[in-house]
Amino acid sequence: AAQLESYIHRIRGFFKQADVQQSGTLSWDEFKSTLEKPKVRSYFEALDLDLSQAHVLFDLLDTDQSGSVTVEEFIEGCVRLRGHARSIDVNKIVYMCERMFDRLPNMLE
């Protein structure tokens, strides 16, 4: 439990640093520009998250598909996605399936 709390504290720190507009949400542009900084990239990788597919990661964090990520979405997503690349790959498939199921009623009309 203490390890998880420490992890969440680090995630919250990253979010605060990345939220340059101090809006309480991260846009894709804020997320992307923050990840371009080597120090921040290393910090994010230290959180045990794979950044090879940063846009997919952002989409997975943006659970309400609003185009921005709240601190709650960010923390919950990072906790859920931490680990090796296999975790993000599986979550990408889940995300794609959910989007496909959302579109299915329109396809059947």
Side-chain angles (χ1 to χ4, degrees):
Q3 189 177 23
L4 179 60
E5 286 181 33
S6 172
Y7 182 78
I8 290 171
H9 180 74
R10 290 184 293 166
I11 293 169
R12 196 176 299 277
F14 173 85
F15 185 93
K16 188 174 182 179
Q17 182 178 7
D19 184 15
V20 292
Q21 296 178 354
Q22 298 180 347
S23 63
T25 62
L26 285 183
S27 67
W28 164 244
D29 289 335
E30 284 178 308
F31 186 70
K32 181 181 170 191
S33 68
T34 301
L35 292 180
E36 290 172 356
K37 300 173 185 173
K39 181 180 175 186
V40 173
R41 194 169 180 85
S42 296
Y43 174 74
F44 204 78
E45 288 171 348
L47 293 176
D48 202 18
L49 290 162
D50 177 26
L51 296 177
S52 65
Q53 300 178 46
H55 203 287
V56 172
L57 176 61
F58 183 83
D59 288 341
L60 291 170
L61 295 173
D62 183 17
T63 55
D64 64 1
Q65 300 176 351
S66 65
S68 62
V69 178
T70 65
V71 69
E72 292 83 14
E73 286 176 315
F74 193 76
I75 290 170
E76 288 172 17
C78 288
V79 168
R80 187 184 51 190
L81 295 171
R82 71 180 178 170
H84 300 288
R86 289 174 301 185
S87 177
I88 194 168
D89 293 336
V90 169
N91 279 280
K92 179 180 177 182
I93 292 168
V94 169
Y95 172 76
M96 291 169 59
C97 287
E98 288 174 348
R99 295 215 36 198
M100 185 174 64
F101 283 123
D102 287 344
R103 294 179 184 163
L104 191 58
N106 295 333
M107 293 177 170
L108 296 175
E109 293 180 357

